[in-house]
Amino acid sequence: MGNQKLKWTQEEEEALIAGIEKYGAGKWKNILVDPQFAPLLTSRSNIDLKDKWRNMNVSNGTQSSRAPKLKAAAAPSSDIVIDDSSQNDQDVKNPPRYNAMVFEALSTLKDTNGSDLNAIANFIEQKHQVPQNFRRALSSRLRTLVNQGKLEKVQNCYKLKKEASMETKPPSPKQKDVKPQRQSSVSNDVLKEAADTAAYRVADAEHKSYLADEAVKETERLSCLAEQNDAMLLLAQKLYEQCLRGETINWT
């Protein structure tokens, strides 16, 4: 059940807005059971979502126009335009673009002690067009990157971890040396698997060939027996006819 006394976090608000963009206002149950939003809204109920959405609309003074803008935000857009609020909302929900901006800022600033939120925001605002609520979304994105292990937070500053910095820098000579080794390891595994498969198929083919030879031999044996049986029948018929005619049968 929801707890109305529990203060809403930035992540909960973002999940609520994203859920309304996906399902529309009033589809609170759909938002709460959606795997994308449920982990962030576990402490909220349908009434909590409804009240929070109403309060957000009232506080922003956009109750009559918010829903149409959210629907417009569903259309994909690769550029950020400050005058278009729907595109601004879409950019706030575009983590890969914000991640690239953060990595670019930290890689360029190269502060050994890390860079704080203002330094990162100032760098991005000088190089990119950003929406009005950019700093609020940037703060949330920085916390997310820290939780994902891509950034390291020291006091109020943020630093790139080695893994994250590798994503924004060209590979070093050592990395080029390592890459063929990994490919070689993968190739060896593939070749071994292919060799095992080929050996199995050869063995299976040999076994089937053996079974086929045995079947041919059995067929030939049965054919020989059938011919012998036919000869015995002919001999018996001949003896029977001789007996009927009263002829003497010589058994020697």
Side-chain angles (χ1 to χ4, degrees), residues 1 13 23 30 37 41 54 74 141 146 149 168 173 197 213 240 244 251:
M1 295 298 294
E13 291 182 4
Y23 295 104
N30 293 343
F37 314 118
L41 299 172
R54 183 178 65 252
R141 178 51 37 191
V146 171
T168 59
T197 302
D213 291 340
Y240 176 72
L244 290 178
W251 296 98

Side-chain angles (χ1 to χ4, degrees), residues 43-56:
S43 61
R44 302 299 175 183
S45 67
N46 296 352
I47 297 177
D48 291 336
L49 269 60
K50 177 181 178 181
D51 292 343
K52 180 62 178 177
W53 181 240
R54 183 178 65 252
N55 292 338
M56 290 173 67

Side-chain angles (χ1 to χ4, degrees), residues 32-239:
L32 288 175
V33 299
D34 191 301
Q36 179 181 354
F37 314 118
L40 298 173
L41 299 172
T42 54
S43 61
R44 302 299 175 183
S45 67
N46 296 352
I47 297 177
D48 291 336
L49 269 60
K50 177 181 178 181
D51 292 343
K52 180 62 178 177
W53 181 240
R54 183 178 65 252
N55 292 338
M56 290 173 67
N57 288 337
V58 171
S59 62
N60 293 332
T62 58
Q63 186 169 4
S64 61
S65 60
R66 183 65 177 247
K69 290 181 180 179
L70 288 174
K71 292 182 179 179
S77 173
S78 57
D79 299 324
I80 300 178
V81 182
I82 298 178
D83 330 0
D84 193 338
S85 61
S86 65
Q87 291 182 359
N88 290 344
D89 289 341
Q90 180 67 16
D91 277 328
V92 172
K93 304 305 170 192
N94 192 353
R97 181 178 178 85
Y98 275 60
N99 291 358
M101 291 180 179
V102 171
F103 294 151
E104 177 189 14
L106 293 176
S107 299
T108 304
L109 294 174
K110 294 182 179 178
D111 193 331
T112 56
N113 297 324
S115 303
D116 60 13
L117 174 63
N118 289 332
I120 299 172
N122 290 336
F123 177 88
I124 295 176
E125 289 171 346
Q126 290 175 3
K127 298 199 63 175
H128 303 277
Q129 288 183 321
V130 293
Q132 295 178 354
N133 60 347
F134 163 72
R135 294 205 173 211
R136 182 180 179 184
L138 176 62
S139 176
S140 174
R141 178 51 37 191
L142 288 171
R143 291 197 301 270
T144 301
L145 290 173
V146 171
N147 293 334
Q148 292 176 348
K150 296 181 179 180
L151 294 183
E152 179 181 358
K153 185 174 182 182
V154 180
Q155 294 182 352
N156 292 327
C157 297
Y158 299 89
K159 298 170 60 177
L160 279 173
K161 284 195 173 182
K162 292 182 179 180
E163 295 80 359
S165 61
M166 288 172 60
E167 297 176 2
T168 59
K169 296 181 180 179
S172 62
K174 291 183 179 180
Q175 292 172 340
K176 291 181 180 179
D177 294 341
V178 173
K179 188 174 181 181
Q181 293 177 1
R182 292 180 179 176
Q183 291 179 347
S184 176
S185 176
V186 173
S187 299
N188 290 337
D189 292 340
V190 173
L191 291 175
K192 184 178 182 302
E193 182 179 355
D196 292 342
T197 302
Y200 170 78
R201 291 181 177 178
V202 169
D204 184 60
E206 291 178 350
H207 177 67
K208 290 180 178 178
S209 176
Y210 170 77
L211 293 178
D213 291 340
E214 291 298 317
V216 170
K217 292 179 180 179
E218 181 66 13
T219 302
E220 292 176 352
R221 188 180 69 84
L222 294 176
S223 177
C224 181
L225 290 175
E227 291 177 357
Q228 293 176 359
N229 289 336
D230 291 341
M232 292 295 294
L233 288 174
L234 289 175
L235 178 59
Q237 184 176 4
K238 183 178 180 181
L239 293 175

